[in-house]
Amino acid sequence: ATTSVAAHAGIQWWGAHRAGLTLVPRAGWRDPEVRALSTVALPSLGVAALIGLRYLAVLVVAGAIPGGVVAFTMAVNFLNLPVALGAKPVAAAQLPRLARLTLERRLETFRDEWAQGLGLAFFLTAPAAVAYLALCQPLSEAVAFGAMATSDGVRLIAVSLASVSFGVLGEAVFIVNTSAAYALADAGAPLRAMLVRTAVTLPGMAAALALADGPAVLVVLGLSLTAGDLAQAVAFSRHLVARLPRGRAVIVGPLARSLAAAALMVVPAGMIAWAAPGDDPGRAVQVGWTLAAILAGLAAFLGLQRLWHAPEPRQLLAGIRRGAATA
């Protein structure tokens, strides 16, 4: 893990060097720019602290039942995957342009770019949210291993995955909104969003801990996390909308379109999952049928987006071409 972090930092250093910024460590605490940056960084430290504390609380609550920590951690890893592959690249790609638009005081264009970023994040994460809910059982059977590869273990993973499924959308919105807030030099907005999430999540965690009996603990825990994620997404987005002038791009439309396409993709994916052989066909066969269901659902999702003339696929392809051209 330490080596991977060092490699990650080294690649970022090389990227900055290629962009003309050679970073050399030195003692510069008296530098006024460093002090100003440290002041802005304090709310970010608060965000990181709340994220870490929530994860610690999750371990405590999930540990109330045997196998709960393993099952819920696997579900959280599922949740993090589409956020890492979808929302984080979008947020990183839009940050430089949003920062330039802020300096140029072109806030109407800023709002349109931010809204398009949210649309792309919804396009990339909504299918995962719906698939996690609809296919929680076959996905859990495919990834269960060791002592978790029992009916009880699979059940714990499945209920955990289903209960956190739509938290994917809240996490994606937070990542994209945080990028926009930092571009506006509004470091306090992400912290306030985290406080909203914490305030909504903690009562549910307390209720889950009070149950301390079977899969219901993980269900209540997952739903409390999802409620917190969605609440902060709404509060954070409303804050940014209030700060920015009206623009041409909309936010709710892309979300509704992606959710509708994701809901319809469940039909072919579910049919394949239902047709999968039962009676313990073997890990390879299980994984193969699960992948087939995922690919069928993805094909249906993309086909519907194209049928509805959604702009997100074109934007995504254009971004990939620009990235390949500048690589």
Side-chain angles (χ1 to χ4, degrees), residues 6-322:
H8 180 263
I11 293 171
Q12 297 234 13
W13 183 92
W14 176 246
H17 177 73
R18 288 188 60 190
L21 300 171
T22 301
L23 305 176
V24 180
R26 64 183 178 87
W29 301 112
R30 296 182 179 180
D31 190 310
E33 292 186 357
V34 172
R35 291 192 174 189
L37 183 61
S38 300
T39 301
V40 175
L42 287 176
S44 298
L45 292 175
V47 170
L50 289 174
I51 291 174
L53 287 173
R54 185 172 90 150
Y55 183 68
L56 178 61
V58 164
L59 295 180
V60 172
V61 177
I65 61 172
V69 171
V70 175
F72 207 84
T73 300
M74 294 176 74
V76 170
N77 287 336
F78 269 110
L79 183 150
N80 290 333
L81 179 63
V83 174
L85 297 179
K88 288 186 177 180
V90 170
Q94 75 172 6
L95 179 57
R97 176 161 172 76
L98 293 181
R100 285 194 295 270
L101 292 173
T102 300
L103 292 175
E104 296 167 2
R105 300 185 182 279
R106 296 167 57 191
L107 293 184
E108 183 175 338
T109 305
F110 181 107
R111 185 191 183 282
D112 289 340
E113 291 284 337
W114 164 62
Q116 289 177 6
L118 282 177
L120 272 175
F122 293 144
F123 174 79
L124 294 169
T125 57
V130 174
Y132 289 165
L133 179 62
L135 302 176
C136 61
Q137 184 68 23
L139 286 172
S140 300
E141 292 173 350
V143 300
F145 61 92
M148 299 300 293
T150 63
S151 59
D152 290 339
V154 170
R155 185 182 304 110
L156 291 179
I157 300 172
V159 298
S160 300
L161 182 56
S163 62
V164 302
S165 57
F166 277 82
V168 171
L169 297 175
E171 288 285 346
V173 170
F174 177 77
I175 296 296
V176 175
N177 284 358
T178 297
S179 177
Y182 286 159
L184 290 168
D186 186 1
L191 178 58
R192 290 191 293 272
M194 279 292 105
L195 290 172
V196 169
R197 185 174 82 166
T198 302
V200 173
T201 301
L202 283 180
M205 284 186 166
L209 192 58
L211 289 173
D213 183 25
V217 174
L218 302 184
V219 172
V220 176
L221 174 60
L223 291 177
S224 68
L225 296 184
T226 298
D229 287 334
L230 296 178
Q232 67 78 20
V234 172
F236 203 168
S237 299
R238 291 183 64 180
H239 169 76
L240 291 175
V241 167
R243 281 205 57 175
L244 297 170
R246 289 184 176 274
R248 291 172 297 177
V250 295
I251 298 173
V252 178
L255 173 60
R257 183 171 56 243
S258 292
L259 285 177
L264 292 172
M265 82 176 187
V266 171
V267 176
M271 291 175 64
I272 292 178
W274 178 80
D279 299 327
D280 193 16
R283 174 57 57 87
V285 174
Q286 270 186 339
V287 172
W289 278 91
T290 302
L291 287 176
I294 292 173
L295 291 175
L298 184 60
F301 177 82
L302 294 175
L304 288 169
Q305 293 280 9
R306 183 170 182 178
L307 179 65
W308 296 339
H309 304 289
E312 288 80 19
R314 296 192 299 272
Q315 293 168 1
L316 186 61
L317 289 175
I320 292 173
R321 292 193 186 100
R322 285 197 301 269

